[in-house]
Amino acid sequence: MSNFANEKQGQDQFYLQYLPMVDKTLTTSQILNDYTDGVVNGNILEFKLQISNLNSTLLQAIKYLSVMRIKGKPVPKNILLVSLNDDKCYVYDSSNYLSDIEKVYIGGASTNNSSFVGGTPIQIIDMTSMAGQAQIINLLKQNNYTKINIDVNCIVGWAEYFYRINKSVKVRKEDFIGDASGLHKTVGEIRQPNLFKDYIYPYSGANNEEFGYLMDKLNDNLTKKNLGTFYTPELYAEKSLELLREAIKRVPKGNDYIILDRCAGTGNLELLLTDEELEHTIVSTLEYYEYRVLVERIGHKVRHIIPPIETTNTFNKGLVNGADALTQEYVENPIIQQYVQNEKCTIILFENPPYAETTSLEHQRAGKGKVSSVWKQSYVVHEMKKCVKGTALNDLGNVFIWSAFKYYLRHDTDSYVVYSPVKYWKVQKLIDKKFMGGFAFNRKHFHTNIDACVSCIYWSNENDKINNLMLDAYDIKFVKNGNTKTETLDYEGKIDVRRITEIFSKKYYDKRAFAKSFNNGIVTGLDGTERPNKSKKLKPLYSADMVGYMVAHAAGFDNPDAKSSLLVACRYDEHGFYLHKDNYLEKLPMFAASRYVTYNRHWTERARIMKSADGYVKYGKDVASGKCTTFLLKCLLFTVLETQNHCREFVGSDGRTYRNEFTLDTTNGATLAAKDLAGMKMNNEEKVLVNLWNGVISEAKKTKEYDSKWNYGIYQIINELDTTYIDPNGDTQYNYTQLHTNLTTLKQKVKEYYIKEIVPFLFHYEFLK
Ligand SMILES: C[S@@+](CC[C@H](N)C(=O)[O-])C[C@H]1O[C@@H](n2cnc3c(N)ncnc32)[C@H](O)[C@@H]1O
């Protein structure tokens, strides 16, 4: 009888003895996935010191297999339950439990298992006998899997697996979900498994209607970005019908009306329309398999679908010929035009346009910038460029919004109910129309994982210039009810959206050169270190008077870490300005404002609150009169302790020593910040912050990496002194626990200080709006 003190000990011992006999290259970190006790080839293992209830342990393993199926991972055929201290291994065949594996479980795998009724094991192995040990080795070498059925719960996981393993080959969505029911007859992997032939049963559904709400998630990654597809959850779709119905109420007596959705996807917005409303609806969408689902779902009920029938010409490299809303052909489509030309017809557009901002860093980083800009070559963009300038042109959604008013809406009683991040109205000022009502929804529920605000606004086609909108904010809440989860709308009250006129760079950036500037300085990267200057145009300045370089760029908070910098020298892309000694303090609120969303992650803030310079007149006056002095020192204290302040000291390739003026470390002489903060009357919280800083710098000085010739700032300490190592389990550990602890506490306190002391001021002077 073994006598292990805990499961971990027994499990480690088991793997130590058996793994080398199965596959010498296997390590425990390769087999410990998805919270299981291990998956080795076609075996899932579950260890207990002593199994007292086989059924509940079996259900625990089944729950892990259920998760594997959902994630698109092959389901091992053998289930091995190891009872460590009585040296027994109970073997089950997972195919006997397929219906249990195909359920979706909520809650921890090891809880609520006592009422499960399992069968008897197919084998009980005595692990003390040589025969038993050989049997275990033999089982662990087996590579058999239980075939599962594809359904709505697991199809996304299997699609991701499919695209992952086919990364190098160009596979399209049709290769995965294609069917033979349409005119384009590529039969995909789920219906005729090839790569997955040992893992899945062929899906027998004749079409893909079952996966309607998931069709965006089934796109291959490239198409996903290209089409900007983020589907509307049902609860939001239902809520927005209230706005649509208000618009229908305005249809003048005696008029016909149409509801047009040019980018309907699989018809999520239309699913809860009444038959009468569908009678007035025209839909189309660009992606072929969406079109097919759209036809299945509502094709027979709507007034028109474009194209009305599928022909041999319809399928075009995964897209639908004639359905691209940005083409001239579509704008002039006679089916729609008959209503647009009819004076006695009211036009209502009801859309969640595709969202893709090609200049966003995420996009470029993913290397999709070029591919995704295909839509930028379209007819509608071409026409839009004649009327609209600037960043509004970078967003695919804006092209839909602009073209709605340009080509379809003509009368005061025409309307547009549109989902979109609100910046098109707030800062890009794409339209000036009459606001009739609207909602704020959480973007996280549109198949993304970003907490951000998406507006759904009902515009009347009447011109109107307003500066404020009030939206009713709704999140979606999950309510657990036994083994099921239901979703409900969660009302969070009214939130305002205020328009922005002035931006930082126009009103606040300091464009002066220094009295004695040299244009042979260096450039730095985002991390504050020097990097090669690749731009021929950029001539970085150097001056003895230079305090640093600040970037507080873009109104919104996408990629906040790339859009705000505080550095010792010019940033490589020159999106900022040089800080001067005489007025650097009054520039700091811009840097502070740039951190807002980092510290306020509630979904209503991102994409609603933005950076503005609208308060510049009042702010200028109050700075001049000294009214802001106390606050500016608070802002300075925040800045020196904020980890996005990437000022660090080094000797540049130009031979100059770059000093960090934004630190309280004065080992090598007082810094500008230390001098100015010396005069600050601090409250208790501020004293706590300074004490925590003292704790950080004194621990920093004890590290072996510390170099006494530098004044260290917070970021340089984090980057160069708070070093780590990898322990034998593969986990990261910090070399200097006390230093790391002090840094972590300081970060938390800085965040609290920011929210309490800095944010109200930033709103007061409209740095945040
Ligand atoms: C944000 S999704 C909305 C889908 C659906 N209306 C919903 O709310 O769930 C945008 C849709 O626009 C489609 N789309 C993208 N570019 C398009 C274009 N140029 N013309 C027509 N549809 C397009 C995408 O395939 C996607 O289905």
Side-chain angles (χ1 to χ4, degrees):
M1 284 276 262
S2 299
N3 190 18
F4 293 108
N6 56 53
E7 276 169 31
K8 172 87 171 60
Q9 203 183 53
Q11 177 180 320
D12 288 350
Q13 174 74 12
F14 178 93
Y15 285 133
L16 198 70
Q17 290 173 323
Y18 283 98
L19 275 193
M21 312 312 294
V22 177
D23 178 349
K24 273 194 193 157
T25 61
L26 270 183
T27 61
T28 40
S29 59
Q30 284 169 302
I31 60 176
L32 296 178
N33 291 317
D34 302 313
Y35 305 103
T36 66
D37 286 349
V39 175
V40 181
N41 296 320
N43 302 269
I44 183 166
L45 294 103
E46 179 59 37
F47 295 91
K48 295 275 181 251
L49 272 182
Q50 189 106 36
I51 297 179
S52 54
N53 181 342
L54 280 169
N55 282 343
S56 58
T57 313
L58 177 61
L59 182 57
Q60 187 176 344
I62 287 173
K63 286 181 176 176
Y64 292 132
L65 295 179
S66 155
V67 172
M68 290 177 75
R69 180 187 84 105
I70 292 167
K71 286 189 175 173
K73 295 187 172 182
V75 168
K77 185 165 168 63
N78 302 330
I79 302 176
L80 273 56
L81 308 183
V82 181
S83 188
L84 292 160
N85 282 346
D86 53 7
D87 302 299
K88 285 208 173 91
C89 174
Y90 300 88
V91 184
Y92 293 82
D93 179 345
S94 68
S95 64
N96 295 332
Y97 300 94
L98 184 58
S99 60
D100 297 302
I101 292 169
E102 291 185 339
K103 286 181 189 151
V104 178
Y105 297 93
I106 292 167
S110 57
T111 53
N112 296 330
N113 293 348
S114 53
S115 57
F116 180 67
V117 184
T120 46
I122 52 170
Q123 217 179 338
I124 302 175
I125 300 175
D126 172 7
M127 290 163 57
T128 58
S129 74
M130 281 201 214
Q133 291 155 2
Q135 277 174 327
I136 298 234
I137 294 172
N138 179 35
L139 282 170
L140 293 179
K141 282 184 176 167
Q142 289 178 9
N143 235 326
N144 301 327
Y145 295 89
T146 287
K147 288 190 193 176
I148 55 96
N149 293 294
I150 292 290
D151 62 19
V152 282
N153 296 314
C154 72
I155 189 158
V156 174
W158 286 92
E160 284 168 2
Y161 182 30
F162 182 74
Y163 296 130
R164 213 167 40 240
I165 56 180
N166 279 304
K167 226 178 193 168
S168 51
V169 202
K170 269 212 171 129
V171 290
R172 289 223 183 88
K173 191 176 188 176
E174 59 188 293
D175 299 311
F176 183 66
I177 57 162
D179 60 64
S181 66
L183 288 185
H184 180 76
K185 294 192 195 303
T186 300
V187 179
E189 181 75 24
I190 59 167
R191 293 189 165 80
Q192 229 169 57
N194 174 26
L195 285 167
F196 296 163
K197 66 178 183 317
D198 297 328
Y199 310 145
I200 68 171
Y201 288 115
Y203 177 69
S204 57
N207 56 48
N208 294 311
E209 200 189 341
E210 183 186 356
F211 309 125
Y213 181 55
L214 298 169
M215 290 301 268
D216 54 345
K217 299 189 93 176
L218 300 182
N219 284 334
D220 53 275
N221 289 338
L222 213 82
T223 318
K224 233 181 243 174
K225 294 273 175 193
N226 243 337
L227 293 175
T229 314
F230 300 100
Y231 284 179
T232 313
E234 188 177 329
L235 284 173
Y236 285 163
E238 186 180 15
K239 189 75 195 162
S240 59
L241 291 187
E242 290 174 17
L243 301 175
L244 178 75
R245 286 177 181 144
E246 287 302 314
I248 296 174
K249 278 189 202 151
R250 288 201 310 146
V251 175
K253 228 175 167 190
N255 263 22
D256 182 17
Y257 73 93
I258 58 156
I259 302 166
L260 172 62
D261 184 352
R262 296 166 291 167
C263 45
T266 52
N268 295 319
L269 292 183
E270 289 75 24
L271 281 189
L272 295 172
L273 289 179
T274 62
D275 284 357
E276 156 72 15
E277 287 159 345
L278 284 171
E279 258 288 304
H280 290 268
T281 301
I282 303 177
V283 283
S284 58
T285 196
L286 183 53
E287 202 268 330
Y288 176 77
Y289 289 100
E290 285 183 340
Y291 167 73
R292 294 274 314 286
V293 173
L294 195 60
V295 170
E296 288 293 331
R297 279 177 154 183
I298 53 172
H300 54 297
K301 290 191 168 172
V302 292
R303 187 172 293 188
H304 302 287
I305 185 163
I306 296 170
I309 53 162
E310 190 182 348
T311 65
T312 45
N313 198 21
T314 301
F315 181 90
N316 178 14
K317 296 186 189 144
L319 304 180
V320 178
N321 255 334
D324 183 344
L326 306 185
T327 56
Q328 184 166 9
E329 177 198 10
Y330 189 97
V331 170
E332 292 169 0
N333 184 305
I335 298 177
I336 302 174
Q337 279 306 310
Q338 64 182 305
Y339 300 103
V340 176
Q341 304 299 333
N342 178 357
E343 288 297 309
K344 297 292 283 173
C345 180
T346 297
I347 311 277
I348 302 169
L349 271 84
F350 181 37
E351 294 177 333
N352 174 5
Y355 178 74
E357 199 183 359
T358 44
T359 51
S360 76
L361 277 185
E362 286 124 316
H363 227 75
Q364 312 241 323
R365 235 181 256 140
K368 310 273 161 42
K370 254 196 197 144
V371 192
S372 316
S373 340
V374 172
W375 59 266
K376 284 196 160 185
Q377 316 307 325
S378 66
Y379 166 79
V380 173
V381 172
H382 194 75
E383 293 302 300
M384 184 174 165
K385 276 187 186 155
K386 296 178 186 165
C387 312
V388 177
K389 303 276 170 259
T391 55
L393 290 161
N394 293 335
D395 192 334
L396 175 56
N398 285 352
V399 185
F400 274 79
I401 296 172
W402 176 82
S403 58
F405 290 96
K406 171 82 179 167
Y407 298 116
Y408 303 96
L409 305 180
R410 321 88 78 218
H411 299 146
D412 285 357
T413 45
D414 290 347
S415 313
Y416 193 15
V417 177
V418 61
Y419 285 73
S420 177
V422 75
K423 72 170 180 235
Y424 72 93
W425 174 83
K426 179 178 171 100
V427 62
Q428 294 167 335
K429 303 191 174 77
L430 192 62
I431 57 164
D432 277 309
K433 293 289 172 180
K434 187 164 175 188
F435 173 74
M436 307 293 283
F439 301 123
F441 295 142
N442 186 349
R443 185 162 169 212
K444 186 173 83 183
H445 306 296
F446 292 68
H447 289 173
T448 70
N449 39 28
I450 302 171
D451 271 312
C453 177
V454 172
S455 65
C456 175
I457 297 180
Y458 162 26
W459 298 106
S460 161
N461 188 39
E462 296 157 84
N463 292 336
D464 195 6
K465 231 184 163 64
I466 46 166
N467 287 319
N468 259 4
L469 302 179
M470 288 306 264
L471 304 177
D472 286 305
Y474 288 91
D475 198 358
I476 290 178
K477 197 167 69 187
F478 296 91
V479 187
K480 219 177 120 183
N481 202 344
N483 260 352
T484 53
K485 264 203 269 180
T486 44
E487 298 181 344
T488 55
L489 283 181
D490 187 23
Y491 183 54
E492 294 197 8
K494 287 195 181 297
I495 55 176
D496 68 335
V497 184
R498 299 168 64 208
R499 229 175 196 201
I500 286 176
T501 309
E502 302 292 352
I503 54 172
F504 283 176
S505 57
K506 282 240 171 75
K507 290 293 167 198
Y508 291 139
Y509 272 26
D510 194 337
K511 311 261 170 56
R512 291 174 297 161
F514 296 94
K516 219 172 181 192
S517 302
F518 301 91
N519 55 11
N520 59 358
I522 57 158
V523 298
T524 57
L526 295 180
D527 70 353
T529 56
E530 183 176 356
R531 65 176 253 176
N533 179 7
K534 290 192 187 139
S535 154
K536 286 203 178 101
K537 277 204 308 216
L538 171 58
K539 303 269 178 260
L541 294 189
Y542 177 81
S543 158
D545 271 354
M546 191 168 114
V547 185
Y549 190 84
M550 182 186 286
V551 177
H553 161 62
F557 285 96
D558 287 341
N559 303 303
D561 290 354
K563 306 255 164 87
S564 78
S565 288
L566 185 58
L567 305 159
V568 290
C570 183
R571 196 168 97 166
Y572 68 95
D573 59 2
E574 231 192 348
H575 278 320
F577 63 98
Y578 296 90
L579 286 165
H580 291 244
K581 276 190 184 146
D582 59 351
N583 67 351
Y584 84 97
L585 261 182
E586 68 192 64
K587 305 296 174 194
L588 297 182
M590 279 189 277
F591 174 70
S594 305
R595 307 312 295 150
Y596 181 65
V597 161
T598 311
Y599 294 132
N600 292 271
R601 297 209 166 265
H602 194 60
W603 68 272
T604 51
E605 306 307 279
R606 189 189 280 262
R608 177 180 72 96
I609 299 298
M610 295 189 189
K611 293 169 253 170
S612 102
D614 286 354
Y616 76 98
V617 175
K618 181 177 159 62
Y619 180 64
K621 253 197 226 151
D622 289 357
V623 167
S625 72
K627 205 171 161 190
C628 295
T629 309
T630 311
F631 168 74
L632 292 180
L633 289 176
K634 286 176 187 289
C635 219
L636 175 59
L637 181 64
F638 165 73
T639 304
V640 296
L641 300 178
E642 158 63 27
T643 55
Q644 183 65 17
N645 162 5
H646 287 187
C647 288
R648 51 169 131 193
E649 302 205 341
F650 55 85
V651 177
S653 60
D654 55 0
R656 296 173 176 124
T657 299
Y658 284 83
R659 309 253 47 146
N660 177 0
E661 297 293 349
F662 292 100
T663 175
L664 293 180
D665 180 7
T666 53
T667 312
N668 293 282
T671 60
L672 193 60
K675 279 188 219 154
D676 282 345
L677 286 173
M680 180 179 180
K681 222 171 143 241
M682 295 195 181
N683 63 24
N684 274 346
E685 279 143 351
E686 287 151 355
K687 285 180 192 155
V688 167
L689 288 177
V690 173
N691 274 339
L692 283 168
W693 161 258
N694 289 337
V696 166
I697 191 67
S698 79
E699 287 302 319
K701 287 182 176 180
K702 294 180 195 161
T703 63
K704 74 172 183 331
E705 293 84 355
Y706 175 75
D707 185 340
S708 62
K709 68 173 180 277
W710 307 128
N711 279 344
Y712 281 86
I714 188 89
Y715 184 71
Q716 192 163 11
I717 293 174
I718 291 171
N719 234 265
E720 296 175 16
L721 308 184
D722 187 21
T723 52
T724 57
Y725 66 94
I726 305 291
D727 73 9
N729 293 329
D731 297 326
T732 301
Q733 305 291 353
Y734 286 88
N735 285 316
Y736 310 106
T737 312
Q738 190 58 56
L739 172 61
H740 189 69
T741 308
N742 292 356
L743 281 167
T744 311
T745 316
L746 179 60
K747 273 187 213 164
Q748 177 57 28
K749 287 286 166 203
V750 167
K751 175 181 169 179
E752 290 165 14
Y753 182 68
Y754 177 77
I755 292 167
K756 186 168 169 221
E757 298 271 1
I758 310 289
V759 167
F761 177 94
L762 297 174
F763 275 106
H764 181 74
Y765 286 103
E766 297 186 322
F767 283 95
L768 291 172
K769 193 174 177 185

